[in-house]
Amino acid sequence: MSQVFPTYNRLDIELVSGKGTEVKDQNGKTYLDFISGIAVCNLGHSPSVVKEAVEKQLDTLWHVSNLFPITKQEEAATLLTSASGLDAVFFCNSGAEANEAAIKLSKKHTGKTKILTFKQSFHGRTFATMSATGQEKIHSGFGPLLPTFEYLPYNDEHALSKVKDKDVAAIMLEVIQGEGGVNPGTPSFLQAVEAKCRELDALLIIDEVQTGAGRTGRPFAYQHYSLNPDIVTAAKGLGSGFPVGAMMGKEALIPSFSPGTHGSTFGGNPLAMAAAKATMETIFDEGFLKDVQLKSEYFMNKMTLQLQECQIVKEIKGAGFMIGISFDTEVKDIITELRHNGLLTLPAGTHVVRLLPPLTVTYDELDQALHILVSTIKHHQSVEVY
């Protein structure tokens, strides 16, 4: 019996090594990894630039309390504020912690109590972020949730227009819902959300935990929509596998997070900041992001063309290298077959296959993955028809 709580449905393979897009299991089989630790390994596995930065930091200082100044924290914060256009950063260890900080800051700053989120959203599994998440399967079994969260239907401007409550501290959303099905917000809906925030004198919180760090071809996905958020959260891809989370906010919010209002023992420690700094210096480069845009457009166009006659495929959606393939059937067996054929993918809900390759994936690897995808899906369709 395992001594670990069974909180995950673990697969029947263990990954023991990886470089770039390729990983190898305990039996020596090689796979193309289009999961990337769930949008974490944006520079691929074992990126040399991050490895060198961490090794250098290992020889000097691993951890100190946030009671001391940490130069690398300031350097990482400068990269984040420059990329986002925001003004201050709180560092933590995960996306859930970043969203916790955003929830606390929005209530502290506005003096209001309610936060609006959206159905099929996902913001984390702590008690507050679970309460913020608009999915019943995440709530089930935990008793009464925090009562100050309300869920609106996503991409529904009419439902949004009915909100008149002046006690709303913030509206919190993903511009592309990840765990909920890779559901992109429409430009008009996202603009309407920002307008509603201004109408209610509420803050706009954008959860970029999965969509940030270059995943969609911009530093942050909201930048595709000309949005002006008050708070942005990020994690996953910030540290190339080292636990790093961040909450960014506008200058006006700084006094509301004064000494003693929030904290994190490990957040922003020198080792994590070395990984984050090296990661962001690479990803936020304009040439790197342009390359992500070109490669993802190439992949999406070829995939759309080759899957257009597959009757079980309903829709291909997403942005950059955050891609969902929606099916008219449950995808569990398709994902298993893809894995057996050497391509690692994951679900987003029951009917969507999610693709999150490293941003460093090559054109040749994209072609290999596409061949596995198309042949597997066509085989699955033929079996279903038969």
Side-chain angles (χ1 to χ4, degrees), residues 33-124:
D33 183 5
F34 273 45
I35 298 175
S36 303
I38 312 184
V40 167
C41 302
N42 286 8
L43 294 180
H45 293 274
S46 306
S48 57
V49 65
V50 180
K51 182 174 182 284
E52 291 167 7
V54 171
E55 286 177 339
K56 184 177 180 180
Q57 189 62 45
L58 281 169
D59 288 334
T60 56
L61 189 66
W62 293 17
H63 177 80
V64 293
S65 168
N66 276 301
L67 295 173
F68 295 91
I70 301 173
T71 297
K72 275 198 166 54
Q73 200 174 105
E74 293 291 342
E75 293 170 347
T78 297
L79 289 167
L80 278 169
T81 54
S82 297
S84 67
L86 295 168
D87 301 299
V89 183
F90 173 82
F91 285 108
C92 50
N93 309 287
S94 68
E97 290 178 57
N99 285 335
E100 285 272 353
I103 290 165
K104 286 182 66 173
L105 178 55
S106 67
K107 292 189 174 188
K108 182 78 161 51
H109 182 76
T110 63
K112 301 178 182 182
T113 60
K114 293 183 180 179
I115 294 179
L116 304 182
T117 63
F118 294 89
K119 295 177 182 178
Q120 293 305 116
S121 62
F122 183 83
H123 298 294

Coordinates of all heavy atoms in Angstrom, one line a residue, residues 33-124:
D33 N 6.1 15.1 -24.7 CA 5.4 15.5 -23.5 C 4.6 16.8 -23.9 O 5.1 17.9 -23.9 CB 6.3 15.8 -22.4 CG 5.6 16.2 -21.1 OD1 4.3 16.2 -21.1 OD2 6.2 16.6 -20.1
F34 N 3.3 16.6 -24.2 CA 2.4 17.7 -24.4 C 1.5 18.0 -23.2 O 0.4 18.5 -23.4 CB 1.6 17.5 -25.7 CG 2.3 17.9 -27.0 CD1 3.6 17.6 -27.2 CD2 1.6 18.6 -28.0 CE1 4.3 17.9 -28.3 CE2 2.2 18.9 -29.1 CZ 3.6 18.6 -29.3
I35 N 2.0 17.7 -22.0 CA 1.4 18.1 -20.8 C 2.3 19.2 -20.1 O 1.8 20.2 -19.5 CB 1.3 16.9 -19.8 CG1 0.3 15.9 -20.4 CG2 0.7 17.4 -18.5 CD1 0.2 14.6 -19.6
S36 N 3.6 19.0 -20.2 CA 4.6 20.0 -19.6 C 4.3 20.2 -18.1 O 4.4 21.4 -17.7 CB 4.5 21.3 -20.4 OG 4.8 21.1 -21.7
G37 N 4.0 19.2 -17.4 CA 3.7 19.4 -15.9 C 2.5 20.2 -15.7 O 2.4 20.9 -14.7
I38 N 1.5 20.2 -16.6 CA 0.4 21.1 -16.7 C 0.8 22.5 -16.8 O 0.6 23.3 -15.9 CB -0.6 20.9 -15.5 CG1 -0.9 19.4 -15.3 CG2 -1.9 21.6 -15.8 CD1 -1.9 19.1 -14.2
A39 N 1.4 22.8 -18.0 CA 1.8 24.2 -18.3 C 2.9 24.8 -17.4 O 2.9 26.0 -17.2 CB 0.6 25.1 -18.4
V40 N 3.7 23.9 -16.9 CA 4.8 24.3 -16.0 C 6.1 24.4 -16.7 O 6.9 25.4 -16.6 CB 4.9 23.4 -14.8 CG1 6.2 23.7 -14.0 CG2 3.7 23.6 -13.9
C41 N 6.5 23.4 -17.5 CA 7.8 23.3 -18.1 C 7.8 24.0 -19.4 O 7.9 23.4 -20.5 CB 8.2 21.8 -18.3 SG 8.3 20.9 -16.7
N42 N 7.5 25.3 -19.4 CA 7.4 26.1 -20.6 C 8.7 26.2 -21.4 O 8.6 26.4 -22.6 CB 6.9 27.5 -20.3 CG 5.4 27.5 -19.9 OD1 4.8 26.5 -19.7 ND2 4.9 28.7 -19.8
L43 N 9.8 26.0 -20.8 CA 11.1 25.9 -21.5 C 11.5 24.5 -21.7 O 12.7 24.3 -22.0 CB 12.2 26.7 -20.7 CG 11.9 28.2 -20.6 CD1 13.1 28.9 -19.8 CD2 11.8 28.9 -22.0
G44 N 10.6 23.6 -21.6 CA 11.0 22.2 -21.7 C 11.6 21.6 -20.5 O 11.7 22.3 -19.5
H45 N 11.9 20.4 -20.5 CA 12.5 19.7 -19.3 C 14.0 20.0 -19.3 O 14.7 20.0 -20.3 CB 12.3 18.2 -19.4 CG 10.9 17.8 -19.2 ND1 10.3 17.7 -18.0 CD2 9.9 17.6 -20.2 CE1 9.0 17.3 -18.2 NE2 8.8 17.3 -19.5
S46 N 14.5 20.3 -18.1 CA 15.9 20.6 -17.8 C 16.5 21.7 -18.7 O 17.6 21.5 -19.3 CB 16.7 19.3 -17.9 OG 16.2 18.3 -17.1
P47 N 15.9 22.8 -18.8 CA 16.5 23.9 -19.6 C 17.8 24.4 -19.0 O 17.9 24.7 -17.8 CB 15.4 25.0 -19.6 CG 14.7 24.8 -18.3 CD 14.7 23.3 -18.1
S48 N 18.8 24.4 -19.9 CA 20.2 24.7 -19.4 C 20.3 26.1 -18.7 O 21.0 26.3 -17.7 CB 21.2 24.6 -20.5 OG 20.9 25.5 -21.6
V49 N 19.6 27.1 -19.3 CA 19.7 28.4 -18.7 C 19.2 28.5 -17.3 O 19.7 29.2 -16.4 CB 18.9 29.5 -19.6 CG1 17.4 29.2 -19.6 CG2 19.2 30.9 -19.2
V50 N 18.1 27.8 -17.0 CA 17.6 27.7 -15.6 C 18.5 26.9 -14.7 O 18.7 27.2 -13.6 CB 16.1 27.2 -15.6 CG1 15.6 27.2 -14.2 CG2 15.3 28.1 -16.5
K51 N 18.9 25.7 -15.3 CA 19.8 24.8 -14.5 C 21.1 25.6 -14.0 O 21.5 25.5 -12.9 CB 20.2 23.7 -15.4 CG 21.1 22.6 -14.7 CD 21.2 21.4 -15.6 CE 22.1 20.3 -15.0 NZ 23.5 20.7 -15.0
E52 N 21.7 26.4 -14.9 CA 22.9 27.1 -14.6 C 22.6 28.1 -13.5 O 23.4 28.3 -12.6 CB 23.5 27.7 -15.8 CG 24.1 26.7 -16.8 CD 24.3 27.3 -18.2 OE1 24.2 28.6 -18.3 OE2 24.7 26.5 -19.1
A53 N 21.5 28.8 -13.6 CA 21.1 29.9 -12.6 C 20.9 29.3 -11.3 O 21.3 29.8 -10.2 CB 19.9 30.6 -13.1
V54 N 20.2 28.1 -11.2 CA 19.9 27.5 -9.9 C 21.2 26.9 -9.3 O 21.4 27.0 -8.1 CB 18.9 26.4 -10.1 CG1 18.7 25.5 -8.9 CG2 17.5 27.0 -10.5
E55 N 22.0 26.3 -10.2 CA 23.3 25.8 -9.6 C 24.2 26.9 -9.0 O 24.8 26.7 -8.0 CB 24.1 25.1 -10.8 CG 23.5 23.7 -11.1 CD 24.2 23.1 -12.3 OE1 24.9 23.8 -13.1 OE2 24.1 21.8 -12.5
K56 N 24.2 28.0 -9.7 CA 25.0 29.1 -9.1 C 24.4 29.6 -7.8 O 25.1 29.9 -6.9 CB 24.9 30.3 -10.2 CG 25.8 31.5 -9.8 CD 25.8 32.5 -10.9 CE 26.6 33.7 -10.4 NZ 26.6 34.8 -11.5
Q57 N 23.1 29.6 -7.7 CA 22.4 30.1 -6.5 C 22.6 29.0 -5.4 O 22.8 29.4 -4.2 CB 21.0 30.3 -6.7 CG 20.3 31.0 -5.5 CD 20.8 32.4 -5.2 OE1 21.0 33.2 -6.1 NE2 21.0 32.6 -3.9
L58 N 22.7 27.8 -5.7 CA 22.9 26.7 -4.7 C 24.2 26.8 -4.0 O 24.3 26.4 -2.8 CB 22.8 25.3 -5.4 CG 21.4 24.7 -5.8 CD1 21.6 23.5 -6.7 CD2 20.7 24.4 -4.5
D59 N 25.2 27.4 -4.7 CA 26.5 27.6 -4.1 C 26.6 28.8 -3.2 O 27.6 29.0 -2.5 CB 27.6 27.7 -5.2 CG 27.8 26.4 -5.9 OD1 27.5 25.3 -5.2 OD2 28.2 26.4 -7.0
T60 N 25.5 29.6 -3.1 CA 25.6 30.8 -2.3 C 24.6 30.8 -1.2 O 25.0 30.8 0.0 CB 25.4 32.1 -3.2 OG1 24.2 32.0 -3.9 CG2 26.6 32.3 -4.2
L61 N 23.3 30.9 -1.5 CA 22.3 31.0 -0.5 C 21.0 30.4 -1.0 O 20.5 30.7 -2.0 CB 22.1 32.5 -0.1 CG 21.2 32.8 1.1 CD1 21.9 32.3 2.4 CD2 21.0 34.3 1.2
W62 N 20.4 29.5 -0.2 CA 19.1 28.8 -0.6 C 17.9 29.5 -0.1 O 17.0 29.8 -0.9 CB 19.1 27.4 -0.1 CG 20.1 26.4 -0.6 CD1 21.3 26.8 -1.3 CD2 20.1 25.0 -0.5 NE1 21.9 25.6 -1.6 CE2 21.3 24.5 -1.2 CE3 19.2 24.1 0.0 CZ2 21.5 23.2 -1.3 CZ3 19.5 22.8 -0.1 CH2 20.7 22.3 -0.7
H63 N 17.9 29.9 1.2 CA 16.7 30.4 1.8 C 17.0 31.4 2.9 O 17.9 31.1 3.7 CB 15.8 29.3 2.3 CG 14.6 29.8 3.0 ND1 13.4 30.2 2.3 CD2 14.3 30.0 4.3 CE1 12.5 30.6 3.2 NE2 13.0 30.5 4.4
V64 N 16.3 32.5 2.9 CA 16.3 33.4 4.1 C 14.9 33.9 4.3 O 14.1 33.7 3.4 CB 17.3 34.6 3.9 CG1 18.7 34.2 3.8 CG2 16.9 35.4 2.7
S65 N 14.6 34.4 5.4 CA 13.3 35.0 5.7 C 13.1 36.2 4.9 O 14.0 37.0 4.5 CB 13.2 35.3 7.2 OG 12.0 36.1 7.4
N66 N 11.8 36.5 4.6 CA 11.4 37.7 3.9 C 11.6 38.9 4.8 O 11.3 40.0 4.4 CB 10.0 37.6 3.4 CG 9.9 36.9 2.1 OD1 10.5 37.3 1.1 ND2 9.2 35.8 2.0
L67 N 12.0 38.7 6.0 CA 12.4 39.9 6.9 C 13.6 40.6 6.4 O 13.9 41.7 6.7 CB 12.6 39.4 8.3 CG 11.4 38.8 9.0 CD1 11.8 38.2 10.4 CD2 10.3 39.9 9.2
F68 N 14.4 39.9 5.5 CA 15.6 40.5 4.9 C 15.3 40.9 3.4 O 14.5 40.3 2.7 CB 16.7 39.4 4.9 CG 17.2 39.1 6.3 CD1 16.6 38.0 6.9 CD2 18.2 39.8 6.9 CE1 17.0 37.6 8.2 CE2 18.6 39.4 8.2 CZ 18.0 38.3 8.8
P69 N 16.0 41.9 2.9 CA 15.9 42.2 1.5 C 16.5 41.1 0.7 O 17.4 40.4 1.1 CB 16.8 43.5 1.3 CG 17.0 44.0 2.7 CD 16.9 42.8 3.7
I70 N 15.8 40.8 -0.5 CA 16.3 39.7 -1.4 C 16.4 40.3 -2.8 O 15.4 40.6 -3.4 CB 15.3 38.5 -1.4 CG1 15.2 38.0 0.1 CG2 15.8 37.5 -2.3 CD1 14.1 36.9 0.2
T71 N 17.6 40.6 -3.2 CA 17.9 41.2 -4.5 C 17.3 40.5 -5.6 O 16.6 41.2 -6.5 CB 19.4 41.4 -4.7 OG1 19.9 42.2 -3.7 CG2 19.7 42.1 -6.0
K72 N 17.4 39.2 -5.7 CA 16.8 38.5 -6.8 C 15.3 38.6 -6.9 O 14.7 38.5 -7.9 CB 17.2 37.0 -6.8 CG 18.6 36.8 -7.4 CD 18.8 35.3 -7.8 CE 20.0 35.1 -8.7 NZ 21.2 35.7 -8.2
Q73 N 14.7 38.8 -5.7 CA 13.2 39.0 -5.7 C 12.9 40.3 -6.4 O 11.9 40.4 -7.2 CB 12.8 39.0 -4.2 CG 11.3 38.8 -4.0 CD 10.9 38.6 -2.6 OE1 10.3 39.6 -2.0 NE2 11.3 37.5 -1.9
E74 N 13.7 41.3 -6.1 CA 13.5 42.6 -6.8 C 13.7 42.5 -8.3 O 12.9 43.1 -9.1 CB 14.4 43.7 -6.2 CG 14.1 44.0 -4.7 CD 12.8 44.8 -4.5 OE1 12.3 45.3 -5.5 OE2 12.3 44.9 -3.4
E75 N 14.7 41.8 -8.7 CA 15.0 41.6 -10.1 C 13.9 40.8 -10.8 O 13.4 41.2 -11.9 CB 16.3 40.9 -10.2 CG 17.5 41.7 -9.8 CD 18.8 40.9 -9.7 OE1 18.7 39.6 -9.8 OE2 19.9 41.5 -9.6
A76 N 13.3 39.8 -10.1 CA 12.2 39.0 -10.7 C 11.0 39.9 -10.8 O 10.2 39.8 -11.7 CB 12.0 37.8 -9.9
A77 N 10.7 40.7 -9.7 CA 9.6 41.6 -9.7 C 9.6 42.6 -10.8 O 8.6 42.9 -11.5 CB 9.4 42.3 -8.4
T78 N 10.8 43.1 -11.1 CA 11.0 44.1 -12.2 C 10.6 43.4 -13.6 O 10.0 44.1 -14.4 CB 12.4 44.6 -12.2 OG1 12.7 45.3 -11.0 CG2 12.6 45.5 -13.4
L79 N 11.0 42.2 -13.8 CA 10.7 41.5 -15.0 C 9.2 41.3 -15.1 O 8.6 41.5 -16.2 CB 11.3 40.1 -15.0 CG 12.9 40.1 -15.2 CD1 13.4 38.7 -14.9 CD2 13.2 40.5 -16.7
L80 N 8.5 41.0 -14.0 CA 7.0 40.8 -14.0 C 6.3 42.1 -14.3 O 5.3 42.2 -15.0 CB 6.6 40.2 -12.7 CG 6.7 38.7 -12.6 CD1 6.5 38.2 -11.2 CD2 5.8 37.9 -13.6
T81 N 6.7 43.2 -13.6 CA 6.0 44.4 -13.8 C 6.2 45.0 -15.1 O 5.3 45.6 -15.8 CB 6.4 45.5 -12.7 OG1 7.8 45.6 -12.7 CG2 5.9 45.0 -11.3
S82 N 7.4 44.8 -15.7 CA 7.7 45.3 -17.0 C 6.9 44.6 -18.1 O 6.4 45.2 -19.0 CB 9.2 45.1 -17.4 OG 10.0 45.9 -16.5
A83 N 6.7 43.3 -17.9 CA 6.0 42.4 -18.8 C 4.5 42.7 -18.7 O 3.7 42.5 -19.7 CB 6.3 41.0 -18.6
S84 N 4.0 43.0 -17.5 CA 2.5 43.1 -17.3 C 2.0 44.5 -17.3 O 0.8 44.7 -17.5 CB 2.2 42.5 -15.9 OG 2.7 43.3 -14.9
G85 N 2.9 45.5 -17.1 CA 2.4 46.9 -16.9 C 1.9 47.2 -15.6 O 1.4 48.3 -15.4
L86 N 1.9 46.3 -14.6 CA 1.5 46.5 -13.3 C 2.7 47.0 -12.4 O 3.8 47.2 -13.0 CB 0.9 45.2 -12.7 CG -0.4 44.8 -13.4 CD1 -0.9 43.4 -13.0 CD2 -1.5 45.8 -13.2
D87 N 2.5 47.2 -11.1 CA 3.4 48.0 -10.4 C 4.1 47.3 -9.2 O 5.2 47.8 -8.8 CB 2.8 49.3 -9.9 CG 2.2 50.1 -11.0 OD1 3.0 50.6 -11.9 OD2 1.0 50.3 -11.1
A88 N 3.5 46.3 -8.6 CA 4.0 45.6 -7.5 C 3.7 44.2 -7.5 O 2.7 43.7 -8.1 CB 3.5 46.3 -6.2
V89 N 4.6 43.4 -6.8 CA 4.4 41.9 -6.9 C 4.5 41.3 -5.5 O 5.4 41.8 -4.7 CB 5.6 41.3 -7.7 CG1 5.4 39.8 -7.8 CG2 5.6 41.9 -9.1
F90 N 3.7 40.4 -5.2 CA 3.8 39.5 -4.0 C 4.2 38.1 -4.5 O 3.4 37.6 -5.3 CB 2.5 39.5 -3.2 CG 2.5 38.5 -2.0 CD1 3.1 38.8 -0.8 CD2 2.0 37.2 -2.2 CE1 3.2 37.9 0.2 CE2 2.1 36.3 -1.2 CZ 2.7 36.7 0.0
F91 N 5.3 37.6 -3.9 CA 5.7 36.2 -4.3 C 5.2 35.2 -3.4 O 5.2 35.4 -2.1 CB 7.2 36.2 -4.5 CG 7.8 36.9 -5.7 CD1 8.4 38.1 -5.6 CD2 7.6 36.3 -6.9 CE1 8.9 38.7 -6.7 CE2 8.1 36.9 -8.1 CZ 8.7 38.1 -8.0
C92 N 4.8 34.1 -3.9 CA 4.4 32.9 -3.1 C 4.9 31.6 -3.8 O 5.8 31.7 -4.6 CB 2.9 32.9 -2.9 SG 1.9 33.2 -4.4
N93 N 4.2 30.5 -3.6 CA 4.7 29.2 -4.1 C 3.8 28.6 -5.1 O 4.2 27.5 -5.7 CB 4.9 28.3 -2.9 CG 5.7 28.9 -1.8 OD1 6.9 29.1 -1.9 ND2 5.0 29.3 -0.7
S94 N 2.6 29.0 -5.4 CA 1.7 28.3 -6.2 C 0.6 29.3 -6.8 O 0.4 30.4 -6.3 CB 1.0 27.2 -5.5 OG 0.1 27.7 -4.5
G95 N -0.2 28.8 -7.7 CA -1.3 29.5 -8.2 C -2.4 29.8 -7.2 O -3.0 30.8 -7.2
A96 N -2.7 28.7 -6.5 CA -3.7 28.9 -5.4 C -3.3 29.9 -4.4 O -4.2 30.8 -4.0 CB -3.9 27.5 -4.7
E97 N -2.1 30.0 -4.0 CA -1.6 31.0 -3.1 C -1.7 32.4 -3.7 O -2.0 33.4 -3.0 CB -0.2 30.7 -2.6 CG -0.1 29.5 -1.7 CD 1.4 29.2 -1.4 OE1 2.0 30.1 -0.8 OE2 1.9 28.1 -1.6
A98 N -1.3 32.5 -5.0 CA -1.4 33.8 -5.7 C -2.9 34.3 -5.7 O -3.1 35.4 -5.5 CB -0.9 33.7 -7.1
N99 N -3.8 33.3 -5.9 CA -5.2 33.7 -6.0 C -5.7 34.0 -4.6 O -6.6 34.9 -4.4 CB -6.0 32.6 -6.6 CG -5.9 32.6 -8.1 OD1 -5.5 33.6 -8.7 ND2 -6.1 31.4 -8.7
E100 N -5.2 33.3 -3.6 CA -5.6 33.7 -2.2 C -5.2 35.1 -1.9 O -5.9 35.9 -1.3 CB -4.9 32.7 -1.2 CG -5.5 31.4 -1.1 CD -6.6 31.3 -0.1 OE1 -6.8 32.3 0.7 OE2 -7.2 30.2 0.0
A101 N -4.0 35.5 -2.3 CA -3.5 36.8 -2.1 C -4.3 37.9 -2.8 O -4.7 38.9 -2.2 CB -2.0 37.0 -2.5
A102 N -4.8 37.5 -4.0 CA -5.6 38.4 -4.8 C -7.0 38.6 -4.1 O -7.5 39.7 -4.0 CB -5.8 37.9 -6.2
I103 N -7.5 37.5 -3.6 CA -8.8 37.6 -2.9 C -8.7 38.5 -1.7 O -9.5 39.4 -1.4 CB -9.3 36.2 -2.5 CG1 -9.7 35.4 -3.8 CG2 -10.5 36.2 -1.6 CD1 -9.8 33.9 -3.6
K104 N -7.6 38.3 -0.9 CA -7.4 39.1 0.3 C -7.2 40.5 0.0 O -7.8 41.4 0.6 CB -6.2 38.5 1.1 CG -6.5 37.2 1.9 CD -5.3 36.8 2.7 CE -4.9 37.8 3.8 NZ -3.9 37.2 4.7
L105 N -6.4 40.8 -1.0 CA -6.1 42.2 -1.3 C -7.3 42.9 -1.8 O -7.6 44.1 -1.5 CB -5.0 42.2 -2.4 CG -4.6 43.6 -2.9 CD1 -4.2 44.5 -1.8 CD2 -3.5 43.5 -3.9
S106 N -8.1 42.3 -2.7 CA -9.3 42.9 -3.2 C -10.3 43.3 -2.1 O -10.9 44.4 -2.1 CB -10.0 42.0 -4.2 OG -10.6 40.9 -3.7
K107 N -10.5 42.4 -1.1 CA -11.4 42.7 0.0 C -10.8 43.8 0.9 O -11.5 44.7 1.4 CB -11.7 41.5 0.8 CG -12.5 40.5 0.0 CD -13.0 39.3 0.8 CE -14.0 38.4 0.0 NZ -14.6 37.4 0.9
K108 N -9.5 43.7 1.2 CA -8.9 44.7 2.1 C -8.9 46.1 1.5 O -9.2 47.1 2.1 CB -7.4 44.2 2.3 CG -6.6 45.1 3.2 CD -6.9 44.8 4.7 CE -5.8 45.3 5.6 NZ -5.4 46.7 5.5
H109 N -8.6 46.2 0.2 CA -8.5 47.5 -0.5 C -9.9 48.1 -0.7 O -10.0 49.3 -0.4 CB -7.9 47.3 -1.9 CG -7.7 48.6 -2.6 ND1 -6.7 49.5 -2.2 CD2 -8.4 49.2 -3.6 CE1 -6.8 50.6 -3.0 NE2 -7.8 50.5 -3.8
T110 N -10.9 47.3 -1.0 CA -12.2 47.9 -1.3 C -13.1 48.0 -0.1 O -14.1 48.8 -0.1 CB -13.0 47.1 -2.4 OG1 -13.2 45.8 -1.8 CG2 -12.2 47.0 -3.7
G111 N -12.8 47.2 0.9 CA -13.7 47.2 2.1 C -15.0 46.5 1.8 O -16.0 46.5 2.6
K112 N -15.1 45.8 0.6 CA -16.3 45.1 0.2 C -16.1 43.6 0.4 O -15.0 43.1 0.7 CB -16.6 45.4 -1.2 CG -16.9 46.9 -1.5 CD -17.1 47.0 -3.0 CE -17.3 48.5 -3.4 NZ -17.6 48.7 -4.8
T113 N -17.2 42.8 0.3 CA -17.1 41.4 0.7 C -17.3 40.4 -0.5 O -16.8 39.3 -0.4 CB -18.2 41.1 1.8 OG1 -19.5 41.4 1.3 CG2 -17.9 41.9 3.0
K114 N -18.0 40.7 -1.5 CA -18.4 39.8 -2.5 C -17.4 39.7 -3.7 O -16.8 40.8 -4.1 CB -19.8 40.1 -3.1 CG -20.9 39.9 -2.1 CD -22.3 40.1 -2.7 CE -23.4 39.9 -1.7 NZ -24.7 40.1 -2.3
I115 N -17.2 38.6 -4.2 CA -16.4 38.4 -5.4 C -17.2 37.5 -6.4 O -17.7 36.5 -6.1 CB -15.0 37.7 -5.1 CG1 -14.2 38.7 -4.2 CG2 -14.3 37.4 -6.4 CD1 -12.8 38.1 -3.8
L116 N -17.2 38.0 -7.6 CA -17.9 37.3 -8.7 C -16.9 36.5 -9.5 O -15.9 37.0 -9.9 CB -18.7 38.3 -9.6 CG -19.7 39.2 -9.0 CD1 -20.3 40.1 -10.1 CD2 -20.7 38.4 -8.2
T117 N -17.2 35.2 -9.7 CA -16.4 34.4 -10.6 C -17.4 33.7 -11.6 O -18.5 34.1 -11.7 CB -15.6 33.3 -9.8 OG1 -16.5 32.5 -9.1 CG2 -14.7 34.0 -8.8
F118 N -16.9 32.7 -12.3 CA -17.7 32.2 -13.4 C -17.8 30.7 -13.4 O -16.9 30.0 -12.9 CB -17.1 32.7 -14.8 CG -17.2 34.1 -14.9 CD1 -16.2 35.0 -14.5 CD2 -18.4 34.7 -15.5 CE1 -16.4 36.4 -14.6 CE2 -18.5 36.1 -15.6 CZ -17.5 36.9 -15.1
K119 N -18.9 30.2 -13.9 CA -19.1 28.7 -14.0 C -18.0 28.1 -14.9 O -17.7 28.7 -15.9 CB -20.5 28.4 -14.5 CG -21.6 28.9 -13.5 CD -23.0 28.7 -14.1 CE -24.1 29.2 -13.1 NZ -25.5 29.0 -13.6
Q120 N -17.6 26.9 -14.5 CA -16.5 26.2 -15.1 C -15.1 26.8 -14.9 O -14.2 26.4 -15.6 CB -16.8 26.0 -16.7 CG -18.0 25.1 -17.0 CD -17.8 23.7 -16.3 OE1 -18.6 23.4 -15.4 NE2 -16.8 23.0 -16.7
S121 N -15.0 27.8 -14.0 CA -13.7 28.3 -13.7 C -13.0 27.4 -12.8 O -13.5 26.5 -12.2 CB -13.9 29.7 -13.0 OG -14.6 29.5 -11.8
F122 N -11.7 27.6 -12.7 CA -10.8 26.9 -11.7 C -9.8 27.9 -11.2 O -9.0 28.5 -12.0 CB -10.1 25.7 -12.4 CG -9.3 24.9 -11.3 CD1 -9.9 24.0 -10.5 CD2 -8.0 25.2 -11.2 CE1 -9.2 23.3 -9.6 CE2 -7.2 24.5 -10.2 CZ -7.9 23.5 -9.4
H123 N -9.8 28.1 -9.9 CA -8.8 29.0 -9.2 C -8.0 28.4 -8.1 O -7.2 29.1 -7.5 CB -9.6 30.2 -8.7 CG -10.3 31.0 -9.8 ND1 -9.7 31.7 -10.7 CD2 -11.7 31.1 -10.0 CE1 -10.6 32.2 -11.6 NE2 -11.8 31.9 -11.1
G124 N -8.2 27.1 -7.9 CA -7.3 26.4 -6.9 C -8.1 25.5 -5.9 O -9.3 25.4 -6.0

